[in-house]
Amino acid sequence: AAAAAAAAAGAAIIAETTPTLVYLPFRAMAETTRMLFAYGNIPYRDEAIWGMVFHERRKSMEFPWGKTPVLKIPGFRTVAQSGALARYAAKQAGVYPQDPIACAMSDSIYELAQELCTINPLVNCFVGHQFHAIRADYFKNVLPPALIQLEIELTR
């Protein structure tokens, strides 16, 4: 009985200190944060919200800027914007650079990836002719020049 009580108390402490990532039931804008938490073995709760639950919580001003993803950090506050969440997770995982110049380069590559995430609607939303047209444009006109430029920047 004492061991069970100690385990329950430990679980309560972890719950009180574990951040909660709140997002829609998609990978999309929260996936980088999830991957960084996983890589660093950082405990977090992943809360998917949708429909009226999302609408009501947004209406109550729970989400800074009225959007998700957000990270609810116990004892602090709720932080918004996927880039801020990814940088937080990278720092927690010990993979964010210390050097300001390396930080700027890392952030630059991250922002390129954010621009390239226009593929998200292609994967998650479009079907039929619209899917094929958008896919063709993305893989012909959007991704190839970005990858060429990325290679140039990484080899400078």
Side-chain angles (χ1 to χ4, degrees):
I13 290 169
I14 290 171
E16 290 176 13
T17 60
T18 302
T20 300
L21 182 64
V22 181
Y23 191 48
L24 306 173
F26 306 125
R27 291 182 179 145
M29 304 305 285
E31 194 65 6
T32 303
T33 300
R34 289 184 185 111
M35 293 171 93
L36 286 161
F37 281 152
Y39 179 81
N41 293 313
I42 309 300
Y44 76 100
R45 291 190 315 231
D46 199 347
E47 180 184 358
I49 60 171
W50 187 247
M52 288 305 296
V53 172
F54 170 73
H55 175 73
E56 291 301 320
R57 288 172 67 182
R58 181 172 61 179
K59 193 168 124 184
S60 75
M61 307 293 284
E62 179 178 334
F63 307 129
W65 327 127
K67 298 179 181 181
T68 60
V70 299
L71 188 65
K72 297 167 80 175
I73 303 172
F76 180 63
R77 60 178 296 171
T78 299
V79 178
Q81 298 294 355
S82 58
L85 305 185
R87 284 186 288 280
Y88 173 86
K91 289 173 185 175
Q92 293 295 313
V95 297
Y96 195 74
Q98 297 280 328
D99 175 65
I101 295 170
C103 288
M105 190 64 196
S106 175
D107 290 348
S108 174
I109 293 168
Y110 174 84
E111 294 301 333
L112 171 66
Q114 290 296 90
E115 290 176 10
L116 292 176
C117 87
T118 56
I119 190 131
N120 277 327
L122 171 65
V123 173
N124 292 310
C125 302
F126 298 117
V127 295
H129 174 72
Q130 192 176 25
F131 171 83
H132 294 294
I134 292 171
R135 182 180 65 181
D137 178 66
Y138 184 86
F139 286 104
K140 180 180 179 188
N141 299 316
V142 177
L143 188 59
L147 292 178
I148 290 168
Q149 188 63 45
L150 176 61
E151 184 176 11
I152 291 168
E153 294 303 319
L154 290 174
T155 58
R156 284 185 195 230

